[in-house]
Amino acid sequence: MKCKRASESSQPSTLSIEAKQKKRLNAKEYRKQKRSEFEPLQSLISQFHDIVSQGPLYICTCCDQLWYKHSVIPVTTLIENNPDVRKRLLNTKSVNNMEWLCKTCNKYLKNNKVPPCAAINGLQFPEKPSFFDLNELECRLLAPRLAFQKLMQAPRGRQLKINGNIVNVPADVVNTVNMLPRFPNETSTIKVNLKRRLQYKSSALSLNVRPNKVAEAAKWLVNNGNLYKDEGITFNDTWLEDNSNTRMLFDDSDNDQTSEGSENVVNCNAEILNCDTECKIQQSSACDDDEHWSEDLAEIPAGITDTMLTSPDFVTDNERQHILNVAPGEGNRPMSIFRDKYSEELAYPGIFLGQKRPDNTNRLTKVHYSEICKSELRRSDRRAAMCVENIFFKTKLHKLLENSFHLDPLLLRQFTVHKVTLNKKLL
């Protein structure tokens, strides 16, 4: 009896071992069969290069975003099946003079729904005037909010990264624009240093600024920007139209002088006249020296004559006196970008032109902030994608909104259990 039981117990173990071996052999044969069906690695690599060879040149006629070729389809088939879709399209043609539709919008339009990222859903930039071609610092001078960020390069790859938080400071646009001189020539420029405080030697941004362009853009923003009207920003029309305001104020940080010192006031018209006369004299002398021209004397390497003894800002003491230092946010208390509802629109007037984004109550379909960011960075109008600081601003604000969404249920749960107020918990 004992021998029979032992033989019976050994049978299932041998069967299980044989079943496992058979299963392993079948899996091995299946993997071999699949490998034989796959294409070689080189062909896959060439196929990938063919897909991305043209880049994102295809514009979706519904969401106005840039896509690769494998992500879009012609819009003709959808219009033939449903002609009512035409009212939700922008009639935008791109590659091969055709209208293209991304697969995401196509999925919604097939079901007669408005895509969340559709342009008619309030996801369009305001139209920019032709004269509004301002550089980064000129836009900063017109911004009612200054978003200071510390951008650094990563040790590997040298890509930019943000270090720390964004300091959102309200700025006085009126005094900043009034401080700029008015030149008779529209293309005249002046070197401006944007600082957090005037007493600092380093500057957050330093570029050449066209005062007449800034004044023209400021006048347009005040008259057409809803956010500027809500902030109560107004300019004196007589000052904007008057070209006699040609005296400007300079700050010499090395001599510890304030922006209100009267010793640094110079007459810009006199400098312009002197520059014109000097240019005429140089042109006449250049014509006389053409006969005595020598190749050895004329061959001067550009940008290589600087040495380690040059000052860090590459500006001499005489030139430093003619640089305008401004600190529009000095003395103002920073505001949280999470609580300041229109901080992004106010900080980047070159993108939003003083206009608000529509609320979800005014949209056809509810849109999350992450979808808004993707839409603005993918649009055919590259004004947001070309602004590196705005990309980091969107990333930081999106993280704050995402953390607040996950944090609120936890706080509410602790509030009901421990009877602790939210204000005390946040403190």
Side-chain angles (χ1 to χ4, degrees), residues 77 104 129 171 197 259 270 304 338 349 363 365 378 398 419:
T77 56
T104 305
R197 290 187 179 181
S259 62
I304 310 177
F338 181 72
R363 298 182 189 271
T365 306
R378 289 177 178 174
H398 177 257
K419 305 297 182 182

mmCIF file of all heavy atoms in Angstrom, residues 77 104 129 171 197 259 270 304 338 349 363 365 378 398 419:
data_model
loop_
_atom_site.group_PDB
_atom_site.id
_atom_site.type_symbol
_atom_site.label_atom_id
_atom_site.label_comp_id
_atom_site.label_asym_id
_atom_site.label_seq_id
_atom_site.Cartn_x
_atom_site.Cartn_y
_atom_site.Cartn_z
ATOM 1 N N THR A 77 -11.330 63.976 -46.603
ATOM 2 C CA THR A 77 -12.245 62.854 -46.340
ATOM 3 C C THR A 77 -13.243 63.189 -45.243
ATOM 4 O O THR A 77 -14.414 62.815 -45.324
ATOM 5 C CB THR A 77 -11.436 61.614 -45.947
ATOM 6 O OG1 THR A 77 -10.602 61.933 -44.817
ATOM 7 C CG2 THR A 77 -10.565 61.155 -47.095
ATOM 8 N N THR A 104 -5.639 63.739 -33.288
ATOM 9 C CA THR A 104 -6.382 64.052 -32.064
ATOM 10 C C THR A 104 -7.648 64.834 -32.382
ATOM 11 O O THR A 104 -8.740 64.500 -31.892
ATOM 12 C CB THR A 104 -5.490 64.849 -31.105
ATOM 13 O OG1 THR A 104 -4.277 64.135 -30.867
ATOM 14 C CG2 THR A 104 -6.195 65.106 -29.791
ATOM 15 N N PRO A 129 0.480 93.761 -33.769
ATOM 16 C CA PRO A 129 0.686 94.805 -34.790
ATOM 17 C C PRO A 129 2.061 94.672 -35.450
ATOM 18 O O PRO A 129 2.975 94.039 -34.912
ATOM 19 C CB PRO A 129 0.570 96.108 -33.993
ATOM 20 C CG PRO A 129 -0.082 95.741 -32.704
ATOM 21 C CD PRO A 129 0.275 94.326 -32.433
ATOM 22 N N ALA A 171 5.732 95.840 -11.130
ATOM 23 C CA ALA A 171 6.625 96.878 -11.659
ATOM 24 C C ALA A 171 5.834 98.130 -11.993
ATOM 25 O O ALA A 171 4.646 98.069 -12.320
ATOM 26 C CB ALA A 171 7.352 96.369 -12.898
ATOM 27 N N ARG A 197 17.717 95.773 -7.900
ATOM 28 C CA ARG A 197 17.902 96.994 -7.122
ATOM 29 C C ARG A 197 19.001 97.818 -7.777
ATOM 30 O O ARG A 197 19.959 97.274 -8.328
ATOM 31 C CB ARG A 197 18.271 96.679 -5.672
ATOM 32 C CG ARG A 197 17.138 96.072 -4.867
ATOM 33 C CD ARG A 197 17.539 95.944 -3.411
ATOM 34 N NE ARG A 197 16.463 95.386 -2.614
ATOM 35 C CZ ARG A 197 16.532 95.174 -1.302
ATOM 36 N NH1 ARG A 197 17.657 95.466 -0.655
ATOM 37 N NH2 ARG A 197 15.505 94.666 -0.643
ATOM 38 N N SER A 259 19.758 106.953 -8.813
ATOM 39 C CA SER A 259 19.129 107.307 -10.078
ATOM 40 C C SER A 259 18.578 108.708 -10.076
ATOM 41 O O SER A 259 18.175 109.219 -11.109
ATOM 42 C CB SER A 259 17.996 106.319 -10.376
ATOM 43 O OG SER A 259 17.022 106.411 -9.372
ATOM 44 N N ALA A 270 22.676 116.885 -28.110
ATOM 45 C CA ALA A 270 24.041 117.345 -28.350
ATOM 46 C C ALA A 270 24.947 116.182 -28.716
ATOM 47 O O ALA A 270 25.808 116.289 -29.588
ATOM 48 C CB ALA A 270 24.571 118.069 -27.106
ATOM 49 N N ILE A 304 39.085 89.240 -31.094
ATOM 50 C CA ILE A 304 40.189 88.461 -30.551
ATOM 51 C C ILE A 304 41.176 89.348 -29.799
ATOM 52 O O ILE A 304 42.054 88.872 -29.108
ATOM 53 C CB ILE A 304 40.920 87.702 -31.680
ATOM 54 C CG1 ILE A 304 39.893 86.939 -32.526
ATOM 55 C CG2 ILE A 304 41.941 86.727 -31.152
ATOM 56 C CD1 ILE A 304 40.483 86.226 -33.692
ATOM 57 N N PHE A 338 1.061 81.674 -8.025
ATOM 58 C CA PHE A 338 -0.099 80.805 -7.848
ATOM 59 C C PHE A 338 -1.348 81.620 -7.503
ATOM 60 O O PHE A 338 -2.458 81.282 -7.913
ATOM 61 C CB PHE A 338 0.199 79.784 -6.750
ATOM 62 C CG PHE A 338 -0.922 78.825 -6.488
ATOM 63 C CD1 PHE A 338 -1.232 77.837 -7.400
ATOM 64 C CD2 PHE A 338 -1.681 78.913 -5.346
ATOM 65 C CE1 PHE A 338 -2.267 76.951 -7.179
ATOM 66 C CE2 PHE A 338 -2.713 78.041 -5.097
ATOM 67 C CZ PHE A 338 -3.014 77.053 -6.012
ATOM 68 N N PRO A 349 4.173 90.713 -22.034
ATOM 69 C CA PRO A 349 3.302 91.455 -22.969
ATOM 70 C C PRO A 349 3.645 91.197 -24.425
ATOM 71 O O PRO A 349 2.807 91.402 -25.300
ATOM 72 C CB PRO A 349 3.541 92.916 -22.590
ATOM 73 C CG PRO A 349 4.890 92.928 -21.959
ATOM 74 C CD PRO A 349 5.046 91.615 -21.262
ATOM 75 N N ARG A 363 -15.474 79.131 -22.730
ATOM 76 C CA ARG A 363 -14.980 78.208 -23.745
ATOM 77 C C ARG A 363 -16.073 77.204 -24.115
ATOM 78 O O ARG A 363 -16.988 76.941 -23.329
ATOM 79 C CB ARG A 363 -13.750 77.450 -23.239
ATOM 80 C CG ARG A 363 -12.557 78.337 -22.910
ATOM 81 C CD ARG A 363 -11.385 77.475 -22.475
ATOM 82 N NE ARG A 363 -10.285 78.249 -21.945
ATOM 83 C CZ ARG A 363 -9.290 78.759 -22.669
ATOM 84 N NH1 ARG A 363 -9.273 78.552 -23.984
ATOM 85 N NH2 ARG A 363 -8.323 79.449 -22.115
ATOM 86 N N THR A 365 -15.354 74.012 -24.675
ATOM 87 C CA THR A 365 -14.959 72.793 -23.967
ATOM 88 C C THR A 365 -13.985 73.169 -22.859
ATOM 89 O O THR A 365 -13.132 74.044 -23.039
ATOM 90 C CB THR A 365 -14.294 71.788 -24.930
ATOM 91 O OG1 THR A 365 -15.162 71.553 -26.041
ATOM 92 C CG2 THR A 365 -14.005 70.473 -24.240
ATOM 93 N N ARG A 378 3.101 74.628 -29.200
ATOM 94 C CA ARG A 378 3.080 73.927 -30.488
ATOM 95 C C ARG A 378 2.502 74.757 -31.613
ATOM 96 O O ARG A 378 2.505 74.312 -32.765
ATOM 97 C CB ARG A 378 2.254 72.643 -30.367
ATOM 98 C CG ARG A 378 2.881 71.527 -29.552
ATOM 99 C CD ARG A 378 1.924 70.364 -29.456
ATOM 100 N NE ARG A 378 2.465 69.227 -28.731
ATOM 101 C CZ ARG A 378 1.765 68.136 -28.433
ATOM 102 N NH1 ARG A 378 0.490 68.054 -28.808
ATOM 103 N NH2 ARG A 378 2.316 67.155 -27.763
ATOM 104 N N HIS A 398 2.741 75.051 -13.691
ATOM 105 C CA HIS A 398 2.040 73.765 -13.845
ATOM 106 C C HIS A 398 2.343 72.840 -12.668
ATOM 107 O O HIS A 398 1.452 72.118 -12.184
ATOM 108 C CB HIS A 398 2.457 73.118 -15.165
ATOM 109 C CG HIS A 398 1.854 71.768 -15.389
ATOM 110 N ND1 HIS A 398 2.574 70.607 -15.211
ATOM 111 C CD2 HIS A 398 0.599 71.384 -15.735
ATOM 112 C CE1 HIS A 398 1.798 69.563 -15.449
ATOM 113 N NE2 HIS A 398 0.597 70.002 -15.774
ATOM 114 N N LYS A 419 -9.753 68.288 13.293
ATOM 115 C CA LYS A 419 -10.355 69.587 13.555
ATOM 116 C C LYS A 419 -9.319 70.709 13.521
ATOM 117 O O LYS A 419 -9.279 71.585 14.390
ATOM 118 C CB LYS A 419 -11.050 69.580 14.915
ATOM 119 C CG LYS A 419 -12.094 68.478 15.090
ATOM 120 C CD LYS A 419 -13.243 68.634 14.103
ATOM 121 C CE LYS A 419 -14.301 67.561 14.325
ATOM 122 N NZ LYS A 419 -15.405 67.670 13.346
#
